[in-house]
Amino acid sequence: MGVKQAIKSLDAFPRAEDHLLQKTQSGAVVSIVGLVIMAILFLHELRYYLTTYTVHQMAVDLKRGETLPIHINMTFPSLPCDVLSVDAIDMSGKHEVDLDTNMWKLRLNGEGHIIGTEYLSDLVEKEHTIHKQDGDHHEDSENKIHLHGFDQDTENVIKKVKQALVNGEGCRVYGVLDVQRVAGNFHISVHGLNIFVAQMIFEGTNHVNVSHIIHDLSFGPKYPGIHNPLDGTTRILRGNSGTFKYYIKIVPTEYRYISKEVLPTNQFSVTEYYSTANDRTWPAVYFLYDLSPITVTIREERRSFLHFITRLCAVLGGTFALTGMLDRWMYRLLEAVTKPKSRSGFR
């Protein structure tokens, strides 16, 4: 075999025979179907390439000295805004009531419509002024308190709250708390009131209905795909009241976008506990949180361009080869059906 013949034997694209170059209707149908399939597969592969995916990594949390943002949006349908207060306590012993953050209260009527807006710190300051004044009365004469010896401002507040309870007013509390990045808790309750004022208003702990709806509770901004387990939680009490406790485990999280932008936030898990009210404790809604020592990094990534080209060649080439086989089979089938078989031999 000569050199030219040896080179020709390496040709991977031999020329088709003349009868295979005939254009037929069946071939046209197969070609159209093949083109449609290839177009669909091409768009699917292109979308697959352009879509990002996430990779999760874990490491020891090295953050120190930062604050923890707590986003709150809750509704208390059975408690007026004048009696609700937000307290925060952490493991260092720091107890804050009038937090230096943006917290708001929306007064709601019995149907849940907004009828007024007040800034929470103003209300807390007013409530603690009442608490202090009532404490002075307690030091002067305990019997005077039991005989309803309140000053005029306190009596006005009591009458206002009682009327709000009769009207079925509720309250929506929302805003952001910035607390220290240590374990602690925050709770929403009537603890801002003097105990004797609270007793005058509710006439017992069982009448403090802490039914609530958690519209949103998060510990930082939201990232794509996050699920906060308490969002949309509804707890409505029909009989005796009690205390709700949500035990929250916070996991520090960083979300790294494909653009290299980093979003620091937190995700969390939660367990729930409920205890009925007694004469020694006033009902409340507690959120007790602790931080995990492990931080999770979620990174967006995109598949490589070479990976996209490889898959595209495999998909389009496979479709072309399959349609070619199908065309040959259909051509031979139609040829066998349309042309009568020649008979040979003698009778």
Side-chain angles (χ1 to χ4, degrees):
M1 182 183 293
V3 177
K4 292 184 178 180
Q5 293 295 331
I7 294 176
K8 286 182 179 181
S9 66
L10 298 176
D11 187 1
F13 308 100
R15 302 299 177 265
E17 298 179 7
D18 292 339
H19 71 278
L20 297 178
L21 299 178
Q22 298 178 8
K23 295 183 177 180
T24 61
Q25 291 182 353
S26 62
V29 172
V30 173
S31 299
I32 293 174
V33 172
L35 288 174
V36 171
I37 294 175
M38 284 190 286
I40 294 173
L41 293 177
F42 171 77
L43 294 176
H44 177 271
E45 289 299 322
L46 181 62
R47 181 182 178 184
Y48 180 74
Y49 166 69
L50 295 177
T51 302
T52 59
Y53 65 98
T54 56
V55 177
H56 293 68
Q57 295 177 333
M58 293 188 295
V60 176
D61 185 19
L62 302 178
K63 295 180 181 178
R64 296 183 299 174
E66 298 183 4
T67 59
L68 180 67
I70 304 176
H71 300 261
I72 304 172
N73 188 353
M74 296 179 61
T75 294
F76 290 81
S78 301
L79 288 177
C81 288
D82 286 320
V83 300
L84 284 177
S85 65
V86 180
D87 299 349
I89 306 174
D90 59 40
M91 290 295 291
S92 65
K94 189 175 183 181
H95 185 186
E96 294 181 295
V97 176
D98 190 4
L99 296 169
D100 188 18
T101 52
N102 292 325
M103 292 298 298
W104 292 84
K105 288 181 178 180
L106 301 179
R107 292 178 56 206
L108 308 176
N109 60 17
E111 297 178 354
H113 300 302
I114 299 173
I115 56 177
T117 304
E118 297 179 270
Y119 193 56
L120 181 58
S121 62
D122 296 336
L123 292 173
V124 171
E125 183 178 352
K126 178 178 66 177
E127 291 165 359
H128 279 266
T129 301
I130 295 173
H131 180 94
K132 181 178 178 181
Q133 291 171 346
D134 291 335
D136 294 339
H137 284 294
H138 176 66
E139 293 176 0
D140 294 339
S141 174
E142 183 175 354
N143 292 329
K144 186 177 180 181
I145 292 179
H146 285 287
L147 293 174
H148 315 311
F150 301 114
D151 58 24
Q152 188 62 41
D153 291 337
T154 305
E155 291 180 357
N156 292 338
V157 170
I158 294 174
K159 292 179 181 179
K160 178 183 176 183
V161 174
K162 283 189 172 184
Q163 185 60 45
L165 288 171
V166 171
N167 296 337
E169 282 192 22
C171 185
R172 186 163 185 169
V173 181
Y174 71 96
V176 181
L177 300 178
D178 286 316
V179 298
Q180 297 185 86
R181 198 179 181 83
V182 295
N185 79 78
F186 69 94
H187 53 276
I188 304 176
S189 63
V190 298
H191 294 170
L193 296 174
N194 177 278
I195 186 172
F196 299 107
V197 175
Q199 189 68 36
M200 285 291 299
I201 294 174
F202 296 102
E203 300 178 356
T205 58
N206 281 329
H207 297 144
V208 182
N209 190 338
V210 292
S211 297
H212 58 279
I213 303 170
I214 304 175
H215 305 286
D216 175 62
L217 180 69
S218 59
F219 295 84
K222 296 183 178 181
Y223 61 84
I226 190 174
H227 172 67
N228 293 323
L230 286 178
D231 289 359
T233 299
T234 301
R235 297 292 180 266
I236 304 298
L237 296 173
R238 303 298 181 186
N240 292 334
S241 187
T243 296
F244 291 89
K245 292 184 179 180
Y246 297 97
Y247 296 90
I248 296 173
K249 192 70 172 182
I250 300 173
V251 181
T253 304
E254 280 188 351
Y255 192 90
R256 297 179 179 271
Y257 291 92
I258 195 71
S259 61
K260 306 303 180 181
E261 180 184 356
V262 179
L263 178 67
T265 183
N266 300 278
Q267 51 185 325
F268 67 93
S269 61
V270 62
T271 56
E272 180 181 350
Y273 176 75
Y274 172 77
S275 60
T276 56
N278 55 59
D279 295 334
R280 293 175 296 176
T281 58
W282 289 84
V285 179
Y286 283 85
F287 298 89
L288 302 97
Y289 56 87
D290 192 10
L291 284 88
S292 170
I294 301 298
T295 183
V296 175
T297 300
I298 305 174
R299 187 175 66 254
E300 285 186 346
E301 290 189 356
R302 180 171 291 157
R303 297 161 185 87
S304 68
F305 183 72
L306 290 178
H307 184 264
F308 167 67
I309 294 298
T310 302
R311 289 177 59 95
L312 195 61
C313 291
V315 168
L316 299 184
T319 304
F320 184 80
L322 183 61
T323 53
M325 293 173 58
L326 183 61
D327 176 52
R328 286 195 297 272
W329 293 340
M330 290 185 63
Y331 179 80
R332 291 174 182 175
L333 178 62
L334 293 175
E335 188 179 43
V337 171
T338 56
K339 291 184 178 181
K341 295 183 179 179
S342 60
R343 296 182 178 180
S344 61
F346 298 94
R347 293 187 179 183

